[in-house]
């Protein structure tokens, strides 16, 4: 299925411990450019996040936003530093002996000494946290891909319509070209008659002039190649997949053929069609930039 490079996806995963929301959006880009904005707590998962998303996205400038609420922030534990407490007591005893005063240190007094008792947050279970985060990432990525596919189908219909119109322009040029030669021959014969004022005309000379003129304006090869490029583009669109880069190259080739047809044109009607052809090719190229 054809996919656009513009897309949007969002998911919120809520548990008793965490609420993680993931939002992603993308615009056109030649390659995959993934920008991640997330809490520092998730920096550990950055490589895993990029690996996961590469399974869903091949091209585009993607902005990923991760928001996080921790419902376990009050889940603290008390830590007792027995080694430090022993050092405090040892120094208190030394101070008592040195100054000849009673050691009146109590347990409650010792507990108030710096770093003897500390409050620490229970460390996160990284495996469990990644499970919750990855679920949100996958769901957001699926929505993102779906939005790209919907837009891709719209692009495909529009491009197929443009290709049909381009086909009709090429057909007109192909039908008009032989008429130009007939008209040129008639004008040439009329001009010769006027100049020579005789009825007899050297047919071989006329034929030679017409042949030279035909060679100068002949666009048969360009039209064959252009028809082939149009059909190749149509086939790629119908096949779907990541075809944006290939279609961009084909569009450049179509533009080159259209330029050659226009440069060889000496007929106003064909010139108008060639200009219309170039205009339509440019529209196709612009739309192709939106395809993954």
């Amino acid at each position: 299925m054809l996919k656009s490079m513009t897309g949007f996806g969002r998911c919120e995963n809520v548990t008793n411990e965490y609420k993680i929301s993931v939002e992603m959006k993308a615009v056109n880009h030649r390659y995959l450019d993934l920008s991640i904005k997330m809490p520092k707590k998730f920096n550990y998962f950055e490589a895993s996040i990029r690996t996961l998303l590469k399974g869903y996205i091949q091209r585009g400038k993607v902005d990923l936003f991760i928001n996080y609420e921790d419902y376990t922030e009050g889940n603290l534990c008390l830590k007792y530093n027995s080694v430090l407490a022993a050092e405090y007591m040892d120094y208190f005893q030394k101070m008592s002996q040195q100054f000849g005063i009673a050691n009146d240190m109590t347990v409650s007094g010792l507990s108030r000494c710096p770093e003897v008792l500390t409050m620490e947050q229970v460390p996160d279970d990284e495996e469990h946290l990644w499970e919750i985060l990855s679920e949100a990432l996958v769901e957001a990525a699926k929505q993102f891909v779906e939005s790209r596919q919907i837009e891709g189908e719209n692009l495909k219909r529009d491009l197929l319509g443009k290709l049909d119109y381009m086909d009709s322009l090429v057909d007109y040029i192909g039908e008009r070209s032989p008429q130009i030669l007939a008209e040129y021959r008639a004008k040439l014969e009329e001009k010769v008659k006027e100049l020579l004022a005789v009825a007899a005309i050297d047919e071989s000379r006329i034929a030679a002039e017409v042949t030279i003129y035909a060679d100068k304006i002949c666009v048969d090869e360009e039209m064959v190649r252009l028809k082939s490029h149009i059909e190749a583009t149509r086939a790629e669109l119908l096949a779907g997949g990541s075809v944006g880069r290939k279609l961009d190259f084909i569009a450049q080739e179509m533009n080159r053929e259209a330029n050659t047809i226009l440069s060889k044109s000496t007929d106003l009607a064909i010139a108008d069609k060639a200009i219309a052809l170039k205009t339509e090719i440019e529209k196709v190229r612009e739309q192709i930039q939106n395809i993954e």
Side-chain angles (χ1 to χ4, degrees):
M1 183 175 290
L2 199 70
K3 288 184 284 188
S4 167
M5 275 201 288
T6 57
F8 179 83
R10 190 178 190 281
C11 178
E12 188 174 86
N13 197 0
V14 182
T15 68
N16 293 331
E17 305 137 299
Y18 310 105
K19 180 172 80 171
I20 298 177
S21 60
V22 174
E23 184 175 299
M24 53 195 305
K25 58 183 180 180
V27 294
N28 305 344
H29 198 273
R30 190 174 181 182
Y31 305 106
L32 175 58
D33 180 11
L34 179 58
S35 173
I36 305 175
K37 296 182 180 179
M38 59 184 175
K40 289 183 179 180
K41 179 176 285 192
F42 290 159
N43 286 347
Y44 175 80
F45 301 122
E46 182 172 351
S48 298
I49 292 171
R50 291 183 180 276
T51 300
L52 186 152
L53 292 181
K54 283 180 180 178
Y56 293 89
I57 311 165
Q58 283 71 52
R59 294 177 66 201
K61 187 180 187 320
V62 183
D63 291 316
L64 175 68
F65 303 93
I66 300 176
N67 293 313
Y68 164 81
E69 290 184 29
D70 189 350
Y71 300 146
T72 67
E73 288 181 352
N75 189 13
L76 303 175
C77 63
L78 187 64
K79 292 292 184 179
Y80 166 52
N81 192 332
S82 60
V83 175
L84 185 59
E87 288 188 20
Y88 275 120
M89 290 303 297
D90 183 50
Y91 278 109
F92 291 148
Q93 187 61 33
K94 289 179 180 179
M95 291 167 64
S96 174
Q97 294 172 357
Q98 180 181 357
F99 298 106
I101 56 178
N103 184 355
D104 60 351
M105 177 55 65
T106 63
V107 172
S108 61
L110 181 62
S111 68
R112 289 193 290 272
C113 292
E115 304 299 327
V116 172
L117 294 178
T118 56
M119 298 293 288
E120 294 183 6
Q121 187 170 351
V122 176
D124 291 313
D125 181 347
E126 290 181 347
E127 184 176 341
H128 180 55
L129 189 59
W130 170 247
E131 181 182 351
I132 299 170
L133 174 59
S134 61
E135 287 177 0
L137 285 167
V138 168
E139 184 58 35
K142 288 180 179 178
Q143 290 183 20
F144 177 83
V145 170
E146 184 179 356
S147 71
R148 279 187 155 193
Q149 290 173 339
I150 293 172
E151 179 63 22
E153 287 301 300
N154 293 333
L155 284 173
K156 182 173 74 174
R157 284 193 293 271
D158 180 68
L159 286 168
L160 289 174
K162 286 179 168 55
L163 292 176
D164 290 341
Y165 177 52
M166 287 164 60
D167 256 334
S168 69
L169 294 173
V170 176
D171 289 340
Y172 177 88
I173 294 172
E175 294 170 1
R176 175 63 182 156
S177 294
Q179 299 174 15
I180 298 173
L181 293 179
E183 292 171 3
Y184 177 74
R185 183 185 183 98
K187 290 179 180 178
L188 189 60
E189 289 177 348
E190 185 65 28
K191 187 174 182 180
V192 170
K193 286 181 180 179
E194 291 177 1
L195 292 174
L196 300 179
V198 294
I201 298 176
D202 187 347
E203 290 294 335
S204 62
R205 183 61 183 274
I206 293 292
E209 290 292 336
V210 171
T211 300
I212 294 172
Y213 179 73
D215 186 59
K216 289 181 179 179
I217 68 168
C218 180
V219 292
D220 290 351
E221 292 183 8
E222 288 79 4
M223 288 192 298
V224 168
R225 287 193 291 268
L226 192 50
K227 276 280 191 179
S228 176
H229 293 326
I230 292 172
E231 187 53 41
T233 301
R234 184 180 286 112
E236 292 293 339
L237 289 172
L238 293 174
S242 297
V243 296
R245 292 181 188 175
K246 186 174 183 179
L247 291 180
D248 186 51
F249 174 76
I250 296 175
Q252 293 179 45
E253 294 300 307
M254 287 195 291
N255 191 57
R256 185 177 291 111
E257 304 300 342
N259 281 332
T260 304
I261 292 173
L262 183 59
S263 66
K264 287 185 176 182
S265 176
T266 59
D267 179 71
L268 182 59
I270 287 184
D272 286 343
K273 297 300 181 183
I275 291 172
L277 192 56
K278 279 178 57 63
T279 301
E280 207 64 17
I281 291 172
E282 188 58 35
K283 292 178 182 178
V284 168
R285 288 190 67 184
E286 289 178 0
Q287 289 288 56
I288 286 173
Q289 300 306 313
N290 295 317
I291 296 176
E292 185 182 54

